[in-house]
Amino acid sequence: MNKSMLAVILLAAFTLAACDRPAVVTVPSAVPGPAGATGATGATGNTGSTGSTGSTGSTGSTGSTGSTGSTGATGNSGTGTTIIVTPPASAASN
């Protein structure tokens, strides 16, 4: 009987130990206070250095000038008749 009682006590202890859950403690978070005063303005930074000037581009090549064309042939001499061409009349303006 001692052995069976001991077995029952051990079985009960293991059963209760398996079901034991530690309590979860929730810690409240801190509430932030009001904002503080604005800090002083920082010093102005240094100005950067000026960049270097680029190099000048090369001059384009000079093309050769075309040759002069040949002179046209002389026209026929007139036969003494004079023709006068009058310009057309201009359109009437309103």
Side-chain angles (χ1 to χ4, degrees):
M1 180 91 168
N2 277 341
K3 289 185 181 184
S4 63
M5 187 66 99
L6 181 64
V8 170
I9 291 173
L10 286 175
L11 183 62
F14 286 132
T15 304
L16 290 175
C19 294
D20 185 28
R21 292 180 145 180
V24 178
V25 178
T26 305
V27 178
S29 61
V31 177
T38 304
T41 304
T44 303
N46 296 332
T47 303
S49 60
T50 304
S52 60
T53 304
S55 60
T56 305
S58 60
T59 305
S61 61
T62 56
S64 59
T65 306
S67 58
T68 304
S70 58
T71 305
T74 304
N76 294 337
S77 300
T79 58
T81 306
T82 303
I83 299 175
I84 300 174
V85 180
T86 58
S90 62
S93 62
N94 292 338

